[in-house]
Amino acid sequence: LRPTQASPSRTIQSVDRALDVLEALAESGEELPLREVAARTDLNVSTCHHLLATLVKRGYAGRSRLGRLYFIGNKVLELSNRRFSQFNIVEMAMPELRRLNQEINEAVYLSAMRGHGLVTLAKLDSSHPIQVRANPTRESTAAHATATGKAILAWLPEVEIAKMIAENGLRRYTDRTITNIEDLMEELRHVRRNGYASDNEEFQPGVVCVGSAVRDHHGAVIAAVSSSVPEMRATGELVEKMRAAVRSCARELSVQLGSPD
């Protein structure tokens, strides 16, 4: 006889119960005694104890030193981190980047730090005849001079910023480029306070740029969204619109990534 295939809606009771236990531990926000876990999952104490013992053995749950309280295990976080490491941020971000591009009709970028270098992950051009021309190779060591780079640097530990400067230096690109550490740190304080970074012809003459950080589910900055415009179109009204739109886009992407902020 051929085995009967399970219905798509059919579930395995023991797996359901184990997941109920994990969800109860995660939702509690604190360590729980065995009887409390059993009560929250509508399980008898013996069944709940066996499920917890299995989860503890596999690392999905933890047990206090005295063995009386249970909590969510490190294995859950490990799996979560693996999921995010496989996540294609460009694919996820593209709908929001397109919306931003259409809203302000200027060039839009998604960038990230790879090691100590700034990398452009995605770019959408403006439809205007006169556009900003990017140079990704030149930008890789120019985090201190770009809105995208400063949006990311502002949230890095100072020791990481020092390492980046030691490797890349603070090269002068225009007469407006920040070239000393004290001025850069002061600029990054403004970025943290305002929620966006600005590049007023600091990297390319005649180009104004605005950038804002994107955070992951831990609240860590993993990328930045930015938009650039030729100085000839950079009216106060347009730049203010860019600031609001870029911040909104970065915030929406952060929400999609599970940022707690």
Side-chain angles (χ1 to χ4, degrees), residues 55 63 71 86 104 126 185 200 202 224 232 259:
L55 292 171
R63 188 167 52 195
F71 51 89
Q86 297 168 351
I104 59 179
S126 165
M185 298 310 291
N200 294 308
E202 297 166 45
M232 62 181 292
S259 172

Side-chain angles (χ1 to χ4, degrees), residues 80 84 87 92 155 213-223 249-261:
S80 177
F84 275 91
F87 192 77
M92 182 278 294
W155 304 100
V214 176
R215 299 176 182 275
D216 68 7
H217 61 302
H218 293 306
V221 172
I222 60 168
C249 180
R251 190 161 44 243
E252 178 58 32
L253 292 178
S254 297
V255 168
Q256 292 182 29
L257 286 168
S259 172
D261 295 338

Side-chain angles (χ1 to χ4, degrees), residues 193-231:
R193 184 177 68 234
N194 297 330
Y196 65 86
S198 297
D199 160 14
N200 294 308
E201 300 184 78
E202 297 166 45
F203 179 61
Q204 287 180 264
V207 175
V208 173
C209 188
V210 177
S212 189
V214 176
R215 299 176 182 275
D216 68 7
H217 61 302
H218 293 306
V221 172
I222 60 168
V225 173
S226 65
S227 178
S228 60
V229 58
E231 192 274 336

Side-chain angles (χ1 to χ4, degrees), residues 89-90 92-104 107-111 122 124 195-196 210-215 223-227 241-257 259:
I89 188 173
V90 175
M92 182 278 294
M94 197 54 69
E96 292 301 323
L97 295 178
R98 290 196 183 99
R99 273 191 280 272
L100 175 62
N101 182 241
Q102 292 168 5
E103 180 180 353
I104 59 179
V108 168
Y109 308 83
L110 178 71
S111 303
L124 298 175
Y196 65 86
V210 177
S212 189
V214 176
R215 299 176 182 275
V225 173
S226 65
S227 178
K241 182 178 181 180
M242 288 169 59
R243 288 171 183 160
V246 166
R247 288 183 65 187
S248 177
C249 180
R251 190 161 44 243
E252 178 58 32
L253 292 178
S254 297
V255 168
Q256 292 182 29
L257 286 168
S259 172

Side-chain angles (χ1 to χ4, degrees), residues 76-257:
V76 175
L77 180 59
E78 180 184 327
L79 290 182
S80 177
N81 287 338
R82 287 182 182 178
R83 170 66 182 96
F84 275 91
S85 69
Q86 297 168 351
F87 192 77
N88 187 335
I89 188 173
V90 175
E91 182 178 342
M92 182 278 294
M94 197 54 69
E96 292 301 323
L97 295 178
R98 290 196 183 99
R99 273 191 280 272
L100 175 62
N101 182 241
Q102 292 168 5
E103 180 180 353
I104 59 179
N105 195 23
E106 297 295 347
V108 168
Y109 308 83
L110 178 71
S111 303
M113 296 295 292
R114 293 292 182 261
H116 294 134
L118 187 63
V119 177
T120 300
L121 304 177
K123 178 180 183 289
L124 298 175
D125 290 326
S126 165
S127 64
H128 291 289
I130 299 177
Q131 301 188 25
V132 173
R133 298 299 178 188
N135 186 333
T137 302
R138 193 163 173 252
E139 289 176 2
S140 65
T141 56
H144 66 290
T146 62
T148 312
K150 287 188 284 186
I152 298 172
L153 290 180
W155 304 100
L156 294 181
E158 288 193 12
V159 65
E160 288 299 315
I161 298 174
K163 288 179 181 178
M164 184 213 73
I165 293 172
E167 182 168 324
N168 298 332
L170 295 175
R171 177 181 171 184
R172 182 181 295 280
Y173 294 93
T174 75
D175 60 3
R176 297 189 178 187
T177 305
I178 296 173
T179 57
N180 70 74
I181 184 64
E182 292 80 11
D183 289 346
L184 177 61
M185 298 310 291
E186 179 63 23
E187 175 77 358
L188 298 182
R189 279 191 283 271
H190 287 294
V191 174
R192 289 192 292 272
R193 184 177 68 234
N194 297 330
Y196 65 86
S198 297
D199 160 14
N200 294 308
E201 300 184 78
E202 297 166 45
F203 179 61
Q204 287 180 264
V207 175
V208 173
C209 188
V210 177
S212 189
V214 176
R215 299 176 182 275
D216 68 7
H217 61 302
H218 293 306
V221 172
I222 60 168
V225 173
S226 65
S227 178
S228 60
V229 58
E231 192 274 336
M232 62 181 292
R233 288 202 300 272
T235 63
E237 181 180 356
L238 176 58
V239 172
E240 189 58 39
K241 182 178 181 180
M242 288 169 59
R243 288 171 183 160
V246 166
R247 288 183 65 187
S248 177
C249 180
R251 190 161 44 243
E252 178 58 32
L253 292 178
S254 297
V255 168
Q256 292 182 29
L257 286 168

